[in-house]
Amino acid sequence: MQAVIDKIMEAKSVAVLTHLNEDPDTIGSCFAFAKVMRKLGKEATVYVNGRIESRLAFIGDDYVLYQEGMKHNHDLCACIDCGDLGRIAERKSLFEEINNSINIDHHLTNTNFADANYVDGKAAAAGEILYALFEKMGIELDNDIARDLYTAICSDTGCFKYSNVTPKTMRTAANLLEYDFDHAEVARLLFDSESLAAAKLKAEITENIKEYADGKIKAVITDEKIGAKYGMGKEDIPNLVDIPRRIEGTEIAVCIKRTNNGFRLNLRSNGKADVAEVAMKFGGGGHIKAAGATLDFDSTEKAEKAVIDACKRALDKII
């Protein structure tokens, strides 16, 4: 942790990078980090890789959509909630130009790719790690920073119901609740609010769930273009892997989504199966119960077979 703190204190201008396919943990954490940097008298800009899904607009718009060749004067690059360098995508050129970096993350499979790394695989969210970091630095939070960190933690814990929640997670959340923000509204907007278009899309996905291994593996196979059918951009497609995850009897939930660059794989485990190990076979990573990867196959059928076979092997290890 101290090496990361030293680099922060030495910096004058910080580029803050979310991970690809931004979620509330990376967004909330990056916003909080940028606000703390400004409290310390530094310049800070959050760079995102693509348009943020509209349902997350409530978190804020304190970011810049990165474009190749953008001018900057940053002397530190902070990657937050990024398991490996591939997760920053096109912004790798910015990372390399700055040539001075820190990596703050909670993924067990993190590759420690930065000059200074603070990785805690036991933390439930990047937001939880940042709270500990700011506490160590003696930073006085404010209501907005507390809300950002709470949003990050609430999201990555499924509103505190996932197995990644620890006593430390709950103590962190309790400390954040001492600040003045509407935590109930944060939870509602994260988990209990969606557009009618999203609801209709999820109904179609549910109808086409596939089952394998006597129903222990349930999968959705789709294309990011499905959103257009319901008037939605690809960024606004909901987290589809949660649909099969919620169905009774599911041990491993799978979502394979065709994209312009191949396929995106998302995995969830409801039991003891290690889906991070499955994702790593395809160059991805994550957590034991939540992981993902980018797949390089020339057909949906080949991608589906490879992933399902890997999931079956993961199940065999726990039987």
Side-chain angles (χ1 to χ4, degrees):
M1 182 191 297
Q2 190 57 49
V4 167
I5 293 174
D6 290 344
K7 284 195 173 291
I8 289 172
M9 298 310 294
E10 292 166 2
K12 294 180 180 179
S13 178
V14 187
V16 187
L17 306 190
T18 61
H19 64 61
L20 182 68
N21 302 318
E22 290 83 356
D23 64 12
D25 186 20
T26 195
I27 297 169
S29 294
C30 285
F31 286 4
F33 188 86
K35 288 168 184 170
V36 167
M37 293 304 100
R38 294 169 192 143
K39 267 182 169 282
L40 293 171
K42 307 174 189 298
E43 295 179 359
T45 303
V46 177
Y47 293 95
V48 300
N49 192 71
R51 189 176 70 82
I52 305 299
E53 57 179 308
S54 57
R55 76 177 184 91
L56 301 180
F58 76 93
I59 305 176
D61 58 0
D62 183 18
Y63 62 84
V64 171
L65 180 60
Y66 179 73
Q67 295 180 357
E68 190 72 30
M70 294 181 78
K71 300 296 183 182
H72 66 85
N73 63 344
H74 304 303
D75 56 2
L76 179 66
C77 183
C79 301
I80 301 178
D81 200 29
C82 302
D84 58 67
L85 200 53
R87 295 292 281 153
I88 64 175
E90 287 84 358
R91 294 161 297 170
K92 185 179 178 182
S93 58
L94 179 62
F95 177 92
E96 292 172 344
E97 285 171 14
I98 296 171
N99 196 31
N100 185 35
S101 59
I102 59 174
N103 161 34
I104 302 170
D105 187 37
H106 68 121
H107 294 92
L108 286 168
T109 56
N110 189 283
T111 58
N112 293 297
F113 57 86
D115 296 314
N117 303 277
Y118 178 21
V119 178
D120 181 0
K122 294 180 180 179
E128 182 180 330
I129 298 176
L130 284 183
Y131 180 86
L133 177 69
F134 298 156
E135 188 175 47
K136 177 73 172 178
M137 295 174 67
I139 302 295
E140 184 175 339
L141 306 185
D142 58 30
N143 295 333
D144 289 340
I145 295 170
R147 178 179 179 270
D148 289 342
L149 293 177
Y150 185 86
T151 300
I153 297 168
C154 184
S155 171
D156 252 28
T157 58
C159 206
F160 304 97
K161 68 176 183 286
Y162 293 161
S163 61
N164 60 350
V165 174
T166 66
K168 183 179 179 182
T169 308
M170 299 304 285
R171 285 192 293 269
T172 299
N175 290 337
L176 291 171
L177 288 176
E178 295 291 344
Y179 293 86
D180 185 17
F181 65 91
D182 191 341
H183 67 90
E185 182 67 359
V186 168
R188 186 188 74 81
L189 291 170
L190 284 174
F191 299 103
D192 297 323
S193 177
E194 66 182 2
S195 67
L196 180 59
K200 289 180 177 180
L201 184 153
K202 288 163 71 173
E204 178 178 335
I205 292 294
T206 302
E207 190 173 340
N208 291 289
I209 289 174
K210 295 185 176 184
E211 293 186 278
Y212 308 88
D214 297 322
K216 293 183 178 67
I217 301 171
K218 292 185 177 69
V220 294
I221 318 294
T222 188
D223 190 303
E224 67 180 5
K225 295 177 182 177
I226 190 174
K229 178 178 178 181
Y230 298 94
M232 302 169 64
K234 62 181 182 180
E235 298 87 356
D236 294 321
I237 295 174
N239 195 12
L240 300 179
V241 72
D242 281 339
I243 297 174
R245 180 184 63 80
R246 293 189 177 105
I247 297 177
E248 183 179 7
T250 302
E251 289 286 334
I252 298 178
V254 178
C255 176
I256 299 173
K257 183 166 58 179
R258 179 182 280 277
T259 69
N260 289 333
N261 301 313
F263 298 88
R264 179 63 192 168
L265 170 66
N266 291 104
L267 299 163
R268 298 292 184 269
S269 173
N270 282 336
K272 297 180 180 179
D274 185 347
V275 292
E277 185 175 309
V278 175
M280 289 176 71
K281 294 181 186 299
F282 301 100
H287 310 283
I288 292 174
K289 295 201 171 186
T294 298
L295 306 177
D296 185 18
F297 290 95
D298 58 15
S299 73
T300 302
E301 292 74 21
K302 289 179 181 178
E304 180 180 352
K305 184 179 188 308
V307 170
I308 298 304
D309 286 349
C311 289
K312 288 178 178 177
R313 290 193 292 271
L315 283 180
D316 289 341
K317 289 184 178 182
I318 64 171
I319 294 176

